[in-house]
């Protein structure tokens, strides 16, 4: 694509929107500019435009996004049939296994939740469609990364902030490449308290009829109830049944 075909203003506005997160719900102009990598004057114009259009509110010092911003994400969720197709299978899987089940897709170095069936809250954060987690330390993330080649995985890990969320989190790129290779070989990923103490999960890929990985599903459980070592034995057969049914439906 030629550079003259790109809209710099739109790109800058989107970078300002992405500067907000669960940890950064209120930002000053200077903070937003630093996070987005923009000069202060440009960040100010973007934020004031978002405020004028109703996508943000401004109290004279800080900006925060408004619920109107959900229209942007909803355009994706309502424009694809994948979440609606996956939801009843997640509901059945969750009911059968007695634990929460989720589906996600890969977006850069993160996974984005597109559907969820929750039995009980097993994490300190409230996961829902649109929630994001780092791919490197999530079971669905490792499954989705395993669908890529090693060079692509290494490039994604190089752009990831490899934070030790717990003492069990794998953060060494070489170790992660080895683990993702193991996931690729066995066809599933198990996470043992790498995202949060007390949480373990197992993930498998969702393939279409051509064999392409289009999403991932997982089952999460408290480690005190279902330890990571027991996840495959308890969950994998049911998850592979769902995997096979979805493959026949996704063309």
């Amino acid at each position: 694509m030629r550079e003259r075909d790109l809209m710099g203003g739109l790109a800058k506005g989107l970078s300002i929107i992405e500067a907000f997160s669960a940890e950064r719900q209120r930002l000053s102009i200077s903070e937003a500019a630093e996070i987005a990598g923009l000069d202060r004057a440009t960040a100010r114009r973007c934020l004031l435009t978002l405020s004028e259009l109703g996508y943000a509110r401004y109290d004279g010092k800080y900006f925060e996004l408004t619920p109107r911003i959900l229209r942007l994400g909803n355009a994706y969720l309502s424009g694809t049939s994948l979440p609606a197709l996956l939801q009843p299978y997640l509901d059945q899987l969750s009911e059968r296994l007695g634990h929460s089940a989720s589906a996600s897709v890969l977006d850069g170095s993160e996974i984005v939740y597109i559907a969820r069936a929750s039995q009980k809250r097993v994490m300190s954060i409230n996961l829902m469609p649109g929630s994001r987690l780092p791919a490197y330390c999530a079971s669905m993330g490792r499954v989705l990364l395993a669908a890529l080649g090693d060079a692509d995985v290494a490039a994604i890990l190089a752009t990831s902030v490899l934070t030790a969320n717990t003492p069990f989190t794998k953060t060494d790129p070489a170790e992660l490449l080895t683990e993702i290779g193991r996931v690729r070989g066995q066809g599933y990923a198990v996470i043992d308290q790498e995202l949060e103490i007390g949480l373990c999960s197992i993930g498998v890929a969702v393939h279409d009829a051509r064999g392409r990985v289009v999403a991932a599903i997982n089952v999460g459980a408290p480690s005190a109830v279902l330890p990571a070592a027991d996840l495959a034995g308890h969950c994998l057969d049911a998850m592979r049944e769902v995997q096979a049914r979805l493959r026949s439906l996704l063309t």
Side-chain angles (χ1 to χ4, degrees):
M1 183 179 293
R2 296 170 298 182
E3 187 174 351
R4 68 184 182 184
D5 292 326
L6 303 178
M7 292 182 63
L10 177 60
K12 292 171 183 176
L14 291 173
S15 70
I16 286 292
I17 292 173
E18 291 183 346
F20 293 88
S21 69
E23 296 76 25
R24 303 187 299 261
Q25 296 184 22
R26 302 173 73 244
L27 295 174
S28 68
I29 293 172
S30 297
E31 290 168 340
E34 182 179 359
I35 295 167
L38 301 173
D39 61 75
R40 192 180 186 281
T42 300
R44 178 178 179 274
R45 290 196 301 272
C46 290
L47 287 164
L48 289 175
T49 300
L50 289 170
S51 179
E52 178 66 22
L53 296 176
Y55 290 101
R57 63 173 61 93
Y58 182 41
D59 65 7
K61 183 176 182 181
Y62 293 103
F63 288 85
E64 60 182 333
L65 298 179
T66 68
R68 188 183 182 93
I69 204 75
L70 294 173
R71 292 186 180 186
L72 303 180
N74 189 60
Y76 167 76
L77 291 174
S78 62
T80 175
S81 62
L82 193 55
L85 181 65
L86 291 172
Q87 189 63 56
Y89 289 93
L90 293 179
D91 292 338
Q92 294 168 19
L93 187 63
S94 178
E95 185 66 25
R96 176 176 174 180
L97 296 176
H99 297 287
S100 298
S102 306
S104 70
V105 294
L106 187 65
D107 181 23
S109 62
E110 298 178 313
I111 58 169
V112 181
Y113 280 66
I114 60 172
R116 181 163 168 80
S118 181
Q119 286 282 331
K120 60 185 69 175
R121 187 165 168 177
V122 294
M123 292 189 70
S124 61
I125 60 173
N126 188 23
L127 295 173
M128 63 188 71
S131 295
R132 291 173 172 267
L133 290 176
Y136 74 94
C137 58
S139 59
M140 289 188 288
R142 288 191 184 160
V143 164
L144 292 167
L145 290 174
L148 307 176
D150 281 345
D152 291 329
V153 175
I156 289 173
L157 293 178
T159 63
S160 303
V161 180
L162 303 177
T163 302
N165 306 300
T166 77
F168 304 104
T169 311
K170 295 179 175 65
T171 58
D172 179 72
E175 184 181 11
L176 285 166
L177 276 172
T178 299
E179 178 62 24
I180 290 165
R182 183 181 298 112
V183 170
R184 190 180 293 128
Q186 67 188 14
Y188 65 93
V190 171
I191 294 292
D192 186 6
Q193 304 184 81
E194 292 191 49
L195 269 169
E196 187 171 297
I197 291 293
L199 173 71
C200 57
S201 66
I202 180 170
V204 300
V206 174
H207 301 85
D208 65 14
R210 299 180 185 178
R212 298 174 300 186
V213 173
V214 296
I217 59 174
N218 85 340
V219 173
S223 58
V225 176
L226 185 59
D230 297 336
L231 276 172
H234 183 74
C235 303
L236 198 53
D237 285 348
M239 295 179 75
R240 283 180 168 158
E241 287 178 21
V242 171
Q243 194 180 40
R245 291 175 192 164
L246 290 172
R247 183 164 185 162
S248 67
L249 295 173
L250 293 168
T251 57

